[in-house]
Amino acid sequence: MRSWKLLSLTGVLALAAAAPPAHSQAGVTVEIAIGKSVAMNVPADTGSAFPADVGVLYCWTRVTGAAGAKVTHVWIHGADSTSVDLNIGGSPWRTHSSRKIAATATGEWTVQVKDASGAVVGSKTFTIGG
């Protein structure tokens, strides 16, 4: 049995006001947010700076114009990078990936979102520690 939570109109308006900016390229539009969790397909505890002991972060992405394709999240920290391929089932489509963050991995991070051809269609930069 599923348990559904209802958002009040105020909660819905707050989510709309907090929506991340959209990036667009070649008909594909993405909204990106970095946060400590994803709840009910919505990013939570988002920000642009996180403590060194955050442990895990999530890159949430809303993709429009890429139904049936794949996008890739590329997590970049200095010379280190990790790629996560994600299937896009419809348009718009919400998806996310996560990355364990070592307490020593401080500094600037970037997550790039690439379309099926490898073109960067959006990115988000954030800081760990500091």
Side-chain angles (χ1 to χ4, degrees), residues 10-93:
T10 303
V12 171
L13 292 174
L15 284 174
H23 302 276
S24 180
Q25 177 154 343
V28 176
T29 301
V30 296
E31 296 173 37
I32 306 166
I34 305 297
K36 293 181 182 180
S37 64
V38 174
M40 296 177 58
N41 289 324
V42 177
D45 299 322
T46 62
S48 59
F50 300 92
D53 64 352
V54 69
V56 175
L57 285 176
Y58 294 81
C59 177
W60 172 91
T61 307
R62 182 178 185 263
V63 182
T64 304
K70 289 186 180 189
V71 296
T72 302
H73 284 174
V74 183
W75 293 76
I76 303 166
H77 178 243
D80 179 35
S81 68
T82 301
S83 296
V84 180
D85 292 331
L86 302 161
N87 293 318
I88 305 302
S91 183
W93 190 261

Side-chain angles (χ1 to χ4, degrees), residues 100-127:
K100 289 184 181 179
I101 308 292
T104 57
T106 58
E108 186 174 279
W109 283 72
T110 300
V111 178
Q112 293 179 336
V113 179
K114 295 184 176 184
D115 67 12
S117 72
V120 176
V121 292
S123 66
K124 188 75 165 185
T125 299
F126 59 96
T127 304

